[in-house]
Amino acid sequence: MPERALKMLPLTAEPAGVPIDCRNCGAYQLCMSLWLKTGDASLLERVVKKKQVFKRGEVLYRMGQSLEYIYVIRGGSVKTCVSTEDGQVQVMGFHIAGELLGLNAIGNRQHNCEARATGVTSVCEVSVDRFEELAREDPAIQYEIFKIMSAEIRHSQELLLLLGKHNADERLAAFLLNLSQQFAQRHCSATEFNLSMSRSDIGDYLGIAEETVCRIFARFQDDGLVSSECRHIKLNDVERLQQIACHRPSRDLRNIVGSDLKA
Amino acid sequence: MPERALKMLPLTAEPAGVPIDCRNCGAYQLCMSLWLKTGDASLLERVVKKKQVFKRGEVLYRMGQSLEYIYVIRGGSVKTCVSTEDGQVQVMGFHIAGELLGLNAIGNRQHNCEARATGVTSVCEVSVDRFEELAREDPAIQYEIFKIMSAEIRHSQELLLLLGKHNADERLAAFLLNLSQQFAQRHCSATEFNLSMSRSDIGDYLGIAEETVCRIFARFQDDGLVSSECRHIKLNDVERLQQIACHRPSRDLRNIVGSDLKA
DNA sequence: CGCGCTATTGATGACGCTCAAGACCCGTGG
DNA sequence: CCACGGGTCTTGAGCGTCATCAATAGCGCG
């Protein structure tokens, strides 16, 4: 037996709530527009109601709750999810520093999902009323909101494709590659990082059981694709992961080689 | 053997491209805002570039194509879907009279999915540039766009929950109930209607195989839940369909009865 | 120090996919 | 007019993937 390392890294291994540089923040354009437009730095202070810190597991907002604040993540990590009355959970996404939360509820003033910190997380809390006021006045801000909502729809579509058409291996590979990209965008290592979410969360995101996540991690590790020590992940063979994520690993690869591609 | 009716209704059985009343159109608020704001009915004419008709199977726009028009469906039906390079398809949604298509691409000016008519379909084609111009000038229009995009995100979330956490029976039951609601909103019969999409489309929407869709339709019919003659559907027992859609039919029902509910 | 949470691994079986075949409907061309 | 092919729908047989149940172990926290 391959004898994988079993030591558990403490859950607090992540760098936690260090505020990011504003220039890397997803709300940068928004904030800068505000500032440039008005030339009034104090406006920022008035818009950003307060900076708040959530501990692991704490709730930023719940489903059905009325929308009062938009949250800008400064550091840490958050998951958003919907759930049914019988306790089933579907994680919609994992969010890290620089992302905005709550915008998707701007249409009906009511949160349609729940947001919960998966690690120590600090956020900027922004009043929705002011936010909208500003959007009405400044087309640039309005457009930023469109862009963010569009991106959210695109993300949902990708996830739907993943859940509807791909098996467990493909889902997990795609998930890891996605994370990798996400970190790269924030100027962190694309091949070595810490997961802020549990195996169970990953399963609830990818629509597979917690145990299946474990098993696939173990198999990927045995195959030399990744090194996973609990929540510390290292991607050893990104290319092969990409193959797994796109095609179906073995059978279809043969088919593709043997077939003449047609539009 | 229960001997289900086998006769196929012609695909052209649907009422096809009769334009809906503007007051039932999803763009009604939008159009009215325009009109009231400017008092200029001719503006509508300038915004709505032209009214166009697509035949079954024709493409309104493709993935990756640059966004030029928003489409308002006047009559007929459209499916939107994303696909992978190896030909797998995930249907994102089915759309009928009164809905707007293309808005989700407003953030990056590039369509992130494909839209294809599933029956004879007539649409209003609206220039995006003018549309945005108007949104910049009129907060009411801006807000309408937010609302529509929010609704789209909510819909994706529901579908994700369905694909991630529910079995094939539950998915199909939920699908039928959803359709029922959709028709009810448009003042059509909630219990008897024609499907505009094929079994294969339904499968591609719900993340199950075409054959599985057939089998479940057959079983639902044998159980007296629905009458399905090819594309003509009649819901005979909405309540039981709802039970199937929410809970898991048998095992969990027993569990729920026997357990004390807790928050 | 013990309880609870997370992660891991094994055994088992069911759900749903795949392949295959046939029926029916439609449009097209001989 | 009829024959034909292509598309849609249906049903059967067989098997693989993955969920479920169960047991164990490590770590965090009170």
Side-chain angles (χ1 to χ4, degrees):
Chain A
M1 180 179 287
E3 190 66 33
R4 276 178 297 275
L6 273 183
K7 69 162 172 261
M8 310 267 289
L9 285 185
L11 290 179
T12 50
E14 13 159 355
V18 256
I20 58 166
D21 186 325
C22 278
R23 274 175 305 236
N24 286 334
C25 179
Y28 181 64
Q29 292 288 351
L30 245 31
C31 285
M32 283 311 286
S33 293
L34 269 185
W35 197 36
L36 291 177
K37 211 77 185 181
T38 63
D40 181 5
S42 72
L43 185 58
L44 270 180
E45 293 305 316
R46 275 186 291 149
V47 170
V48 176
K49 267 287 167 68
K50 56 179 171 181
K51 297 170 184 169
Q52 204 173 339
V53 174
F54 293 92
K55 288 203 289 279
R56 171 188 167 71
E58 286 182 338
V59 171
L60 283 72
Y61 54 82
R62 293 186 192 283
M63 262 179 89
Q65 201 171 303
S66 85
L67 173 68
E68 292 178 46
Y69 301 104
I70 303 288
Y71 296 91
V72 187
I73 307 178
R74 296 170 57 81
S77 52
V78 176
K79 68 175 173 184
T80 49
C81 51
V82 297
S83 45
T84 59
E85 58 288 351
D86 57 325
Q88 301 200 327
V89 174
Q90 173 66 43
V91 173
M92 309 303 307
F94 300 106
H95 309 274
I96 60 176
E99 292 186 69
L100 271 75
L101 294 178
L103 260 186
N104 56 35
I106 211 171
N108 61 348
R109 297 313 208 104
Q110 196 180 21
H111 285 294
N112 43 43
C113 64
E114 165 185 305
R116 190 182 290 262
T118 59
V120 178
T121 300
S122 75
V123 300
C124 291
E125 207 171 52
V126 181
S127 154
V128 155
D129 293 329
R130 268 185 208 286
F131 201 76
E132 277 195 322
E133 204 177 300
L134 293 161
R136 274 195 295 275
E137 290 163 8
D138 185 349
I141 294 184
Q142 186 197 124
Y143 196 65
E144 285 301 316
I145 300 179
F146 286 154
K147 267 165 75 170
I148 290 168
M149 293 180 83
S150 275
E152 191 152 342
I153 291 173
R154 261 199 314 285
H155 176 259
S156 296
Q157 289 180 343
E158 277 172 32
L159 189 54
L160 272 171
L161 184 59
L162 208 59
L163 296 207
K165 293 290 162 185
H166 293 272
N167 65 24
D169 284 24
E170 290 159 5
R171 295 184 202 186
L172 193 62
F175 170 70
L176 289 174
L177 292 170
N178 240 9
L179 269 186
S180 166
Q181 269 194 306
Q182 214 176 129
F183 282 113
Q185 277 170 17
R186 306 284 177 214
H187 308 107
C188 302
S189 168
T191 56
E192 191 162 4
F193 43 82
N194 287 326
L195 301 178
S196 63
M197 71 293 285
S198 68
R199 298 286 190 265
S200 171
D201 285 337
I202 297 175
D204 285 340
Y205 178 63
L206 297 175
I208 54 186
E210 182 184 358
E211 295 93 325
T212 305
V213 176
C214 279
R215 275 183 253 271
I216 298 176
F217 263 127
R219 190 149 34 78
F220 279 1
Q221 172 137 277
D222 292 347
D223 293 349
L225 294 174
V226 306
S227 310
S228 88
E229 285 181 359
C230 190
R231 301 210 176 178
H232 185 79
I233 302 289
K234 203 170 130 201
L235 308 185
N236 296 324
D237 193 339
V238 171
E239 197 171 331
R240 205 133 56 96
L241 279 174
Q242 282 167 341
Q243 283 178 5
I244 293 176
C246 299
H247 315 300
R248 346 216 66 202
S250 51
R251 187 178 56 236
D252 276 21
L253 271 187
R254 264 186 277 125
N255 287 352
I256 282 167
V257 169
S259 76
D260 44 346
L261 303 171
K262 49 188 167 187
Chain B
M1 181 178 286
E3 190 66 34
R4 274 178 299 275
L6 273 183
K7 67 163 172 261
M8 310 267 290
L9 284 185
L11 290 179
T12 49
E14 12 160 357
V18 256
I20 57 165
D21 184 326
C22 277
R23 274 175 305 236
N24 286 334
C25 178
Y28 181 64
Q29 291 288 349
L30 245 32
C31 285
M32 284 311 287
S33 293
L34 268 185
W35 198 35
L36 291 176
K37 211 76 185 180
T38 61
D40 180 7
S42 73
L43 185 59
L44 269 181
E45 293 305 316
R46 276 185 290 148
V47 169
V48 175
K49 266 287 167 65
K50 55 179 172 182
K51 296 169 186 171
Q52 203 174 341
V53 174
F54 293 92
K55 288 202 289 281
R56 171 188 167 73
E58 286 182 339
V59 171
L60 282 72
Y61 52 81
R62 293 186 191 284
M63 263 179 87
Q65 201 171 303
S66 85
L67 172 69
E68 292 178 47
Y69 301 105
I70 303 288
Y71 296 91
V72 187
I73 307 179
R74 296 169 59 80
S77 53
V78 176
K79 68 175 173 184
T80 50
C81 51
V82 297
S83 45
T84 60
E85 59 287 353
D86 57 326
Q88 301 199 325
V89 173
Q90 173 66 44
V91 173
M92 308 303 307
F94 301 106
H95 309 274
I96 60 176
E99 291 187 69
L100 272 75
L101 294 179
L103 261 186
N104 57 35
I106 211 171
N108 61 348
R109 297 312 208 106
Q110 197 181 22
H111 285 293
N112 43 43
C113 64
E114 164 185 305
R116 189 182 292 263
T118 58
V120 178
T121 300
S122 75
V123 298
C124 290
E125 207 171 52
V126 182
S127 155
V128 156
D129 292 329
R130 270 186 206 283
F131 202 77
E132 277 195 321
E133 204 177 298
L134 293 161
R136 272 195 296 275
E137 290 162 8
D138 185 350
I141 294 184
Q142 186 198 124
Y143 196 65
E144 285 301 316
I145 299 179
F146 286 154
K147 266 165 77 170
I148 291 168
M149 293 181 84
S150 275
E152 191 151 344
I153 292 174
R154 260 199 315 284
H155 176 259
S156 296
Q157 288 181 343
E158 277 170 33
L159 189 53
L160 272 171
L161 184 59
L162 209 57
L163 296 208
K165 293 289 163 184
H166 293 273
N167 66 25
D169 284 25
E170 291 159 5
R171 295 183 201 186
L172 193 61
F175 170 69
L176 289 174
L177 291 171
N178 239 8
L179 270 186
S180 167
Q181 270 195 306
Q182 215 176 129
F183 282 114
Q185 277 170 18
R186 306 284 176 212
H187 308 108
C188 303
S189 167
T191 57
E192 190 162 2
F193 43 81
N194 287 326
L195 301 178
S196 63
M197 70 294 282
S198 69
R199 298 285 190 264
S200 171
D201 284 337
I202 297 175
D204 285 341
Y205 178 63
L206 297 175
I208 54 187
E210 181 184 359
E211 295 93 327
T212 305
V213 176
C214 279
R215 274 183 254 270
I216 298 175
F217 263 127
R219 190 149 35 78
F220 279 0
Q221 172 138 276
D222 291 348
D223 293 350
L225 295 174
V226 307
S227 310
S228 88
E229 284 182 359
C230 190
R231 301 209 176 179
H232 185 79
I233 301 288
K234 202 170 132 203
L235 307 185
N236 295 324
D237 193 339
V238 171
E239 197 171 331
R240 204 134 56 96
L241 277 174
Q242 282 168 341
Q243 283 178 6
I244 293 177
C246 299
H247 316 300
R248 346 213 66 201
S250 52
R251 188 176 56 237
D252 276 22
L253 269 188
R254 267 185 276 125
N255 286 351
I256 284 167
V257 170
S259 76
D260 44 346
L261 304 171
K262 50 189 169 188

